[in-house]
Amino acid sequence: MQASKAYEANFDGLVGPTHNYAGLSFGNVASRSNEKSVANPKAAAKQGLRKMKRLADLGFQQGVLPPLERPSIRLLRDVGFSGDDASVIARAAREAPELLAAASSASAMWTANAATVSPSADTEDGRVHFTPANLAAKLHRAIEHGETRRSLGAIFADEARFRIHHALPGTPALGDEGAANHTRFAREYGDKGVEFFVYGKSEYGQGPQPQRYPARQTLEASRAVARLHGLSNDATVFAQQSPDVIDAGVFHNDVIAVGNRTTLFCHERAFVDQHKVYDELRTKLDALGTPFTALEVLESEVSVEDAVSSYLFNSQLLSSTDGRQLLIVPQECRENARVAAYLDSLASRKTPIDEVLVFDLRESMKNGGGPACLRLRVVLDEAERAAVNARVWMNDALFTQLDAWIDRHYRDRLAPADLADPKLLAESRAALDELTTILGLGAVYDFQR
Ligand code: SUG
């Protein structure tokens, strides 16, 4: 049967008005090393918006996902702060600034962690399946999934085509970080593919474990998501991340590997038993008549340390309509001499990467979020695409509206002490309230209900 034409859409998270550097993510080197520095939410939101616009201009399907309501008054009330909203913030600032920081994080911008998505070509019931990630490893992220599910529901509302599951139970045994640890290979996007799940450790099984930093994703969680999505065993591969790269700061697999269609671009130290992983991918893809190429970067070319500081692999690997493959990298890759030399060498070698595009995403990068962290990939056929809330697609008009909206509502400076400012809550709500109108989302936020 001829598969219907499908596209990969990238849904980027719009950076929220409370973007700040609170050092919340132990194991994420950038987050810890920029702790307590001053953030610029306006610049952050504009950097992300410019990436979306440029990719839309190049002909890619580009959507927008909204920020979540922050600070989360709900979290602060759940941990015992009471009174009116201003008193809740004032008491939290005084008694538990770390909880106020968690409640204020704009971390939902990294939509690669919003959910795992399986295209309809792969699932048993022929729907596109989403499982919001429980992000159980970090408090500031564990509070995202309920709100994320609501936003996804406002965008992918057609239940005949989209199935949005609940997050897995939020406990370490089922720690799930979403699409950052998942990729999919297929000849054409609309063809049945092989889904590749990468985990940091097994809770109940054997296998090595990192010693220094936490493994956020378990095998048990990855298997649960594959089951929920109705994926077949012969079209799934589960691989363990090397524990020593987690200990070097690779807190998600998308810091060391990225895949697209028939290409896996990764570091030679990404996985346990790396060659077995390639073999299993190749065998399962071969059964679908799909070729597979692993473009492996050697430690002698780019060390894991350079990969972590430059985010070479946190790139987007995108197929353009004319069949070329583009690598979207952060500018930190040009600032690292070894990584820049590696990228320059691509032109003279035969690789599946045809062009490299560089973006300034400095504000997000300082929290450990590169181009790939900022996007959630959703493969859609034409009918599914038509069923998506049309207001979230990036185009000239939406860009202009959002750019002006950022100018109206965002601060250009946010220091840790500013999180105690009750005006930030009012500003943030005013911004989000207007955003729901721009994006046609309805009342998705608690404060609107
Ligand atoms: O979960 N940083 C995020 C970065 C997520 C990147 N996503 C992917 N690799 N897909 C995290 O560690 C830092 C927030 C702070 O420290 O203020 C933070 O949450």
Side-chain angles (χ1 to χ4, degrees):
M1 194 180 78
Q2 178 71 41
S4 68
K5 177 101 183 117
Y7 310 84
E8 176 185 276
N10 282 266
F11 287 83
D12 279 43
L14 202 50
V15 176
T18 62
H19 160 64
N20 74 95
Y21 300 117
L24 299 173
S25 280
F26 176 64
N28 166 344
V29 179
S31 155
R32 276 306 178 95
S33 48
N34 291 302
E35 178 172 3
K36 307 253 183 290
S37 64
V38 176
N40 183 336
K42 182 178 285 187
K46 291 201 172 207
Q47 287 166 0
L49 186 64
R50 277 197 291 270
K51 170 164 90 80
M52 295 188 231
K53 176 63 163 54
R54 176 94 191 277
L55 294 182
D57 286 347
L58 287 169
F60 296 104
Q61 309 287 318
Q62 180 67 56
V64 183
L65 291 179
L68 303 181
E69 183 183 337
R70 297 290 178 268
S72 169
I73 296 295
R74 177 198 284 233
L75 169 65
L76 297 175
R77 290 192 187 281
D78 282 350
V79 296
F81 296 109
S82 56
D84 59 19
D85 291 347
S87 316
V88 166
I89 290 174
R91 279 195 55 205
R94 232 176 13 249
E95 294 172 30
E98 61 291 344
L99 293 180
L100 178 61
S104 304
S105 176
S107 54
M109 70 171 87
W110 301 297
T111 53
N113 307 116
T116 304
V117 186
S118 295
S120 53
D122 297 350
T123 63
E124 202 171 15
D125 68 0
R127 289 190 285 177
V128 182
H129 283 243
F130 298 76
T131 296
N134 61 29
L135 300 172
K138 309 281 173 201
L139 173 61
H140 69 293
R141 308 224 56 186
I143 59 174
E144 292 178 25
H145 63 85
E147 295 165 84
T148 298
R149 185 168 186 275
R150 226 190 266 163
S151 304
L152 291 173
I155 294 170
F156 303 97
D158 181 351
E159 290 176 15
R161 300 186 193 280
F162 305 119
R163 173 80 201 272
I164 306 178
H165 299 274
H166 287 277
L168 300 176
T171 182
L174 292 173
D176 175 24
E177 300 276 321
N181 292 326
H182 171 258
T183 193
R184 171 182 187 261
F185 301 98
R187 183 187 285 273
E188 300 288 340
Y189 290 118
D191 292 344
K192 184 174 162 63
V194 168
E195 298 203 13
F196 182 43
F197 290 84
V198 180
Y199 60 93
K201 68 168 188 188
S202 167
E203 177 75 6
Y204 302 113
Q206 304 293 311
Q209 300 208 357
Q211 301 301 310
R212 182 173 178 214
Y213 291 144
R216 297 195 199 180
Q217 176 96 29
T218 66
L219 170 61
E220 291 76 6
S222 299
R223 286 200 183 281
V225 171
R227 259 191 309 273
L228 285 168
H229 292 195
L231 306 179
S232 58
N233 289 335
D234 54 5
T236 43
V237 173
F238 298 88
Q240 183 173 6
Q241 236 186 311
S242 300
D244 52 315
V245 301
I246 295 180
D247 283 338
V250 182
F251 57 98
H252 289 136
N253 179 58
D254 69 2
V255 177
I256 196 119
V258 58
N260 178 49
R261 291 178 56 178
T262 62
T263 306
L264 172 64
F265 175 49
C266 65
H267 194 275
E268 67 168 331
R269 291 175 52 202
F271 311 110
V272 172
D273 287 334
Q274 189 132 336
H275 284 274
K276 270 202 201 142
V277 174
Y278 298 156
D279 288 345
E280 191 179 349
L281 285 168
R282 193 168 287 117
T283 305
K284 289 186 170 171
L285 281 161
D286 190 53
L288 299 174
T290 304
F292 172 71
T293 306
L295 173 56
E296 191 179 82
V297 179
L298 305 178
E299 180 75 22
S300 56
E301 298 173 295
V302 173
S303 66
V304 168
E305 196 188 9
D306 285 330
V308 169
S309 64
S310 68
Y311 263 38
L312 169 63
F313 298 99
N314 198 261
S315 45
Q316 289 176 260
L317 194 53
L318 301 175
S319 299
S320 65
T321 38
D322 59 6
R324 287 152 30 85
Q325 224 170 191
L326 271 58
L327 190 73
I328 310 299
V329 301
Q331 78 183 29
E332 284 73 2
C333 287
R334 299 277 2 149
E335 291 160 6
N336 177 308
R338 286 170 299 272
V339 175
Y342 174 81
L343 288 172
D344 289 340
S345 78
L346 287 174
S348 59
R349 287 197 274 163
K350 220 178 126 33
T351 74
I353 297 173
D354 301 298
E355 194 182 342
V356 177
L357 293 184
V358 183
F359 282 81
D360 173 9
L361 297 164
R362 191 80 85 197
E363 286 284 322
S364 170
M365 284 287 288
K366 284 178 64 187
N367 254 336
C373 300
L374 286 162
R375 64 93 162 95
L376 181 67
R377 296 186 277 189
V378 186
V379 168
L380 299 166
D381 67 21
E382 270 155 22
E384 290 156 356
R385 186 181 190 282
V388 172
N389 174 344
R391 305 271 285 276
V392 303
W393 295 117
M394 184 52 58
N395 53 36
D396 290 348
L398 183 60
F399 173 80
T400 307
Q401 258 183 316
L402 290 176
D403 194 52
W405 169 81
I406 294 166
D407 280 327
R408 271 197 302 284
H409 294 286
Y410 280 56
R411 297 187 184 190
D412 58 11
R413 189 191 144 83
L414 202 62
D418 298 326
L419 300 180
D421 179 357
K423 289 202 292 293
L424 188 60
L425 174 69
E427 285 167 26
S428 173
R429 285 183 175 171
L432 297 182
D433 197 40
E434 195 184 326
L435 182 68
T436 55
T437 308
I438 297 175
L439 297 179
L441 298 175
V444 286
Y445 296 113
D446 278 346
F447 72 88
Q448 296 175 307
R449 295 180 163 214

